[in-house]
Amino acid sequence: MKKTEFVRQIKKDNRQYNIVKFKSYLLMKLSFGEKRKNREFAYSIYENFHSFDKYSNSLPDGKYYKPTDIVLYDLVKKEDLPTVKKGLIKLFKKCYCHKYLWGGKAENDIDKLVNGLDQTVNSGKSWYYIGIFDYAYNSTLESYIDHFTVYFRNFSSSYVAIQVQIVLAKSYANELAEFIKKQYKKPGMCVHRHWGRKKGKSGAKIDYGISSGAQSECAKSQLIYEQLQYVKNIFLNELKKYFPLMQFSRNRKIYGINVFETNITFTDNLDPSVYDALGLDERYGFNFSEAERLYVSTKTLNAFDSYESDMMFLFNPDLFEDYKAYSSAHNKALCQLTEDYMDKLYRGVILKDIGIDYLDLISEYRNKVNKNNPNRINHKQLLKLKYDFNKEFYDLKKIDEELPVDGELDCIDKILKENFFTSASIYYGFHTAKVFASNPRWIWKQIRNNYKEVENDLNRKLEIADSLTKFSAEKSNKRMAGAQLVLAVLTFYLLIFPDKAMKIASFLLKIRELLPW
């Protein structure tokens, strides 16, 4: 498995723990008497600490949980469609898949498709299939990705949506499935710095506490999640070479849908630690059918901010009644996810991605505006800030006007209510499917409120800075006018009395001779 950020963090925590433990050991050995006994007790904590991980996070015998696919969405601006056309031709020439008899469209079809997307004002009702591709020329990429399929669709009058279905390499998927099945114990310990009591009546000093850090089941979920994140990122870094992706090309995160095949049913009543290790939070999960279930987020270490994570789609092949027409249960599940369920719901995924991105961005601009005081010196900087602010949020405002967002999310709510299994998904009296639209709705509401606040604050500061600049300019103009008046009077006086001008000139020459330079 790939060494990800969390793996490196575990190693870093262990190094810090070993350093603190070694310091405690030295202090113990260099102490005598009563102080030695106290430090021996302090050191014993490092030797005898017992982890709180008492529960099993391994899967029961006969059960499996295997990642199979990743589904991603992004947007392309319609003014960039000529670049998309070039990218598609380049993609076919380099990545056309030889594993299937019919892999995609011809070059003439690409011309028609791009022209059709460019000339359509309203959003399309179906996806345009482009083709099947792979990275057979790159052994590293091929070890993670078996192949991927590309689709395009009109998102709005100014934007095109791109959908990519990534099929994981069997060897990599099996490796992850084997890791998921086994018991995982997070290695090492974690040191926590805190304020301890100083000798005397008052005061504090830095002290240390230890723990196992994250619980093993949460750590396991984070590791699984980061493995799929790694595949997603290396794929998107390749894909942006062909298409001007609006979100990812701006170094923004894209939250997709991770697809898993499993024979776990929710009547199995497994230990909660198992569900935590798989990243399953029932507050955010609902059924599309008896065999298919969608989770709006993944439960990882950041459980309280889990909306900033990928969705999960689980399917149980044992519960599919018939899939002969699709050749496999996997193909049926993926087809129903992308061509049936997400055909109507995909905008909710994209709006959530865009919302999370701009929610972070509005916070950045809030801090930038707060740092700039409304004075004459910062006037130009505030004008530049307003230009950047309007430029950054141009796409957001345009999308909100063209859909509009609230109407689209209301439509998604209505569609989910019409599905019997979805409307029957209830967790402690709460209809969990509501989260699908309520998350992006809440995010976009926060963006609008904060956008207006930042915009008003920026305009107020610009108004103050502009007034100060005008006042300063007016003050400078008065001084200049006064100086010009004095010069005019002096010039007129010297013209009337030219002998005075000669005396003044002689006086100035004498002063110049007396100066040392």
Side-chain angles (χ1 to χ4, degrees):
M1 291 175 66
K2 191 69 181 176
K3 289 184 179 179
T4 58
E5 182 180 348
F6 184 56
V7 174
R8 291 189 288 270
Q9 184 61 44
I10 290 173
K11 289 185 175 180
K12 181 181 177 181
D13 291 341
N14 289 340
R15 283 195 299 269
Q16 292 175 345
Y17 168 77
N18 289 326
I19 290 170
V20 173
K21 181 180 177 181
F22 180 67
K23 286 180 178 178
S24 179
Y25 177 78
L26 283 179
L27 287 171
M28 178 190 71
K29 290 296 182 182
L30 296 174
S31 302
F32 301 96
E34 189 65 28
K35 188 177 285 188
R36 171 87 176 235
K37 290 181 180 180
N38 292 336
R39 286 181 173 169
E40 281 179 351
F41 173 76
Y43 181 72
S44 68
I45 296 174
Y46 295 95
E47 292 291 303
N48 302 320
F49 183 83
H50 297 286
S51 172
F52 289 106
D53 292 332
K54 299 177 182 179
Y55 305 104
S56 171
N57 56 57
S58 62
L59 300 184
D61 292 338
K63 298 295 182 180
Y64 69 91
Y65 189 83
K66 178 182 177 181
T68 58
D69 309 85
I70 302 173
V71 180
L72 300 174
Y73 298 93
D74 204 339
L75 295 179
V76 175
K77 297 177 184 179
K78 286 195 174 180
E79 58 259 37
D80 293 330
L81 282 175
T83 308
V84 171
K85 180 181 174 182
K86 293 177 183 177
L88 282 171
I89 294 170
K90 185 180 175 183
L91 186 67
F92 269 101
K93 288 181 178 180
K94 192 171 183 180
C95 303
Y96 181 76
C97 184
H98 294 180
K99 298 171 185 175
Y100 303 93
L101 292 176
W102 187 72
K105 295 185 177 293
E107 189 169 344
N108 291 336
D109 295 327
I110 292 173
D111 286 336
K112 293 177 182 178
L113 175 109
V114 172
N115 291 334
L117 289 170
D118 195 20
Q119 293 169 8
T120 306
V121 176
N122 65 320
S123 58
K125 300 299 181 184
S126 61
W127 291 96
Y128 293 97
Y129 169 76
I130 303 299
I132 303 174
F133 309 92
D134 61 24
Y135 293 123
Y137 63 90
N138 187 316
S139 57
T140 302
L141 290 170
E142 195 178 29
S143 65
Y144 297 107
I145 300 166
D146 183 77
H147 66 272
F148 62 96
T149 311
V150 179
Y151 296 83
F152 280 98
R153 182 176 186 170
N154 264 303
F155 180 79
S156 69
S157 57
S158 302
Y159 302 91
V160 174
I162 177 172
Q163 174 185 279
V164 184
Q165 302 169 13
I166 306 168
V167 179
L168 298 177
K170 289 183 179 179
S171 58
Y172 186 66
N174 290 334
E175 183 185 354
L176 286 177
E178 192 62 28
F179 172 77
I180 293 169
K181 186 171 181 61
K182 295 179 180 178
Q183 171 72 9
Y184 174 77
K185 170 69 174 71
K186 190 185 81 65
M189 305 293 288
C190 184
V191 175
H192 307 281
R193 291 163 61 97
H194 63 88
W195 291 111
R197 290 185 179 183
K198 201 175 183 180
K199 285 184 178 180
K201 293 183 178 180
S202 62
K205 65 175 182 177
I206 294 175
D207 212 340
Y208 299 94
I210 61 170
S211 73
S212 60
Q215 292 181 322
S216 291
E217 55 266 28
C218 296
K220 185 177 183 179
S221 174
Q222 183 72 26
L223 288 170
I224 298 165
Y225 183 77
E226 287 191 356
Q227 294 299 313
L228 297 175
Q229 286 287 301
Y230 173 76
V231 176
K232 185 173 71 174
N233 286 331
I234 61 171
F235 172 79
L236 287 170
N237 278 313
E238 283 295 314
L239 194 68
K240 75 176 184 179
K241 296 176 183 177
Y242 303 97
F243 306 123
L245 304 174
M246 193 180 91
Q247 284 291 99
F248 191 74
S249 297
R250 295 168 60 235
N251 296 320
R252 301 296 178 181
K253 293 180 181 178
I254 293 179
Y255 300 98
I257 305 172
N258 298 327
V259 182
F260 294 86
E261 179 184 332
T262 183
N263 61 352
I264 296 174
T265 62
F266 294 91
T267 57
D268 291 338
N269 293 323
L270 302 180
D271 192 283
S273 61
V274 176
Y275 295 113
D276 288 342
L278 301 179
L280 305 178
D281 190 337
E282 295 309 311
R283 295 174 299 170
Y284 305 114
F286 56 90
N287 289 342
F288 281 130
S289 70
E290 288 184 347
E292 300 156 308
R293 188 170 177 83
L294 181 77
Y295 287 84
V296 177
S297 60
T298 304
K299 186 178 182 180
T300 57
L301 291 176
N302 301 318
F304 294 105
D305 295 321
S306 59
Y307 70 90
E308 292 191 36
S309 62
D310 290 339
M311 296 183 181
M312 293 189 295
F313 179 76
L314 279 58
F315 70 95
N316 189 332
D318 298 337
L319 298 179
F320 277 128
E321 293 180 359
D322 181 29
Y323 52 80
K324 290 181 180 178
Y326 299 90
S327 75
S328 70
H330 166 258
N331 289 345
K332 181 177 181 178
L334 196 63
C335 183
Q336 290 191 164
L337 171 66
T338 56
E339 296 181 17
D340 186 4
Y341 310 132
M342 285 300 147
D343 181 59
K344 300 173 182 177
L345 305 177
Y346 80 97
R347 282 199 184 92
V349 182
I350 295 176
L351 290 175
K352 177 186 171 184
D353 284 359
I354 295 172
I356 292 171
D357 169 23
Y358 279 97
L359 193 60
D360 293 337
L361 194 61
I362 197 73
S363 298
E364 292 177 19
Y365 273 93
R366 158 54 64 201
N367 294 333
K368 288 179 181 178
V369 172
N370 286 339
K371 287 178 182 178
N372 283 277
N373 293 322
N375 53 45
R376 185 175 58 85
I377 298 171
N378 289 336
H379 186 229
K380 287 185 179 179
Q381 195 168 344
L382 285 167
L383 286 171
K384 178 66 166 56
L385 187 60
K386 185 174 182 179
Y387 166 78
D388 292 338
F389 180 66
N390 290 331
K391 183 181 177 182
E392 287 276 15
F393 284 84
Y394 174 79
D395 289 314
L396 180 95
K397 302 291 285 183
K398 199 170 185 180
I399 289 169
D400 200 9
E401 289 172 0
E402 289 180 356
L403 285 181
V405 171
D406 288 335
E408 190 64 37
L409 294 174
D410 289 341
C411 183
I412 287 173
D413 272 334
K414 185 178 178 181
I415 291 167
L416 290 172
K417 286 179 183 177
E418 292 172 354
N419 184 300
F420 170 78
F421 293 98
T422 300
S423 58
S425 299
I426 300 173
Y427 182 78
Y428 287 100
F430 174 69
H431 287 270
T432 51
K434 290 182 178 180
V435 181
F436 189 94
S438 65
N439 266 355
R441 184 181 287 112
W442 177 85
I443 292 168
W444 278 74
K445 183 180 179 182
Q446 294 300 312
I447 293 170
R448 292 190 192 104
N449 293 341
N450 284 278
Y451 178 89
K452 197 66 180 175
E453 182 186 340
V454 173
E455 185 181 45
N456 290 340
D457 193 18
L458 183 56
N459 287 335
R460 280 193 296 269
K461 288 192 173 185
L462 268 170
E463 187 178 347
I464 295 169
D466 188 55
S467 298
L468 288 171
T469 303
K470 288 179 179 178
F471 174 75
S472 179
E474 184 67 24
K475 193 175 181 180
S476 178
N477 290 338
K478 285 181 179 179
R479 288 173 181 172
M480 184 66 70
Q484 288 175 346
L485 180 62
V486 170
L487 287 172
V489 171
L490 182 62
T491 304
F492 183 72
Y493 176 78
L494 295 176
L495 286 173
I496 297 173
F497 305 101
D499 56 323
K500 299 291 184 182
M502 295 298 297
K503 290 180 179 180
I504 292 172
S506 300
F507 176 72
L508 292 174
L509 284 172
K510 286 181 180 180
I511 291 175
R512 183 183 177 186
E513 290 173 359
L514 294 172
L515 293 174
W517 57 82

